[in-house]
Amino acid sequence: LRLDAGKLHLAPCLPAEWAGFKIHYRYRKTMYYIAVSQMPADAGGKGGVASVVLDGVEQHGDAIPLVDDRQEHRVEVRLRST
């Protein structure tokens, strides 16, 4: 995780045997519930972030735009297996 200019950049690297993990991230007074899951190895493609969905809306790239609106936000990150 890397915080830069109001965005949380993601670059997770999971062991092959992990299905995923969850993070509860607080940005000022706002909570982000982040679930990271790994796609099956047979899904194809190179490793890395396949998709980022914030509150049901797919994001472009590997970053989550952060806002301090005191609401709860749900983030789903899908990784391609290497």
Side-chain angles (χ1 to χ4, degrees), residues 2-51:
R2 180 174 52 90
L3 181 60
D4 182 41
K7 291 185 179 182
L8 186 63
H9 295 267
L10 305 164
C13 182
L14 277 70
E17 62 271 8
W18 284 24
F21 64 92
K22 293 181 180 181
I23 301 170
H24 296 174
Y25 182 80
R26 181 180 301 276
Y27 177 70
R28 298 182 182 153
K29 295 189 179 198
T30 300
M31 284 300 298
Y32 286 83
Y33 297 98
I34 303 169
V36 177
S37 61
Q38 194 158 214
M39 294 172 30
D42 60 353
K46 296 181 181 179
V49 175
S51 67

Side-chain angles (χ1 to χ4, degrees), residues 26-81:
R26 181 180 301 276
Y27 177 70
R28 298 182 182 153
K29 295 189 179 198
T30 300
M31 284 300 298
Y32 286 83
Y33 297 98
I34 303 169
V36 177
S37 61
Q38 194 158 214
M39 294 172 30
D42 60 353
K46 296 181 181 179
V49 175
S51 67
V52 176
V53 178
L54 170 61
D55 296 329
V57 178
E58 187 155 359
Q59 304 297 299
H60 299 286
D62 65 353
I64 302 165
L66 300 173
V67 293
D68 186 20
D69 61 3
R70 298 180 183 199
Q71 303 293 314
E72 291 184 351
H73 298 279
R74 306 266 179 226
V75 180
E76 297 174 33
V77 178
R78 301 270 319 227
L79 303 177
R80 292 182 202 95
S81 296

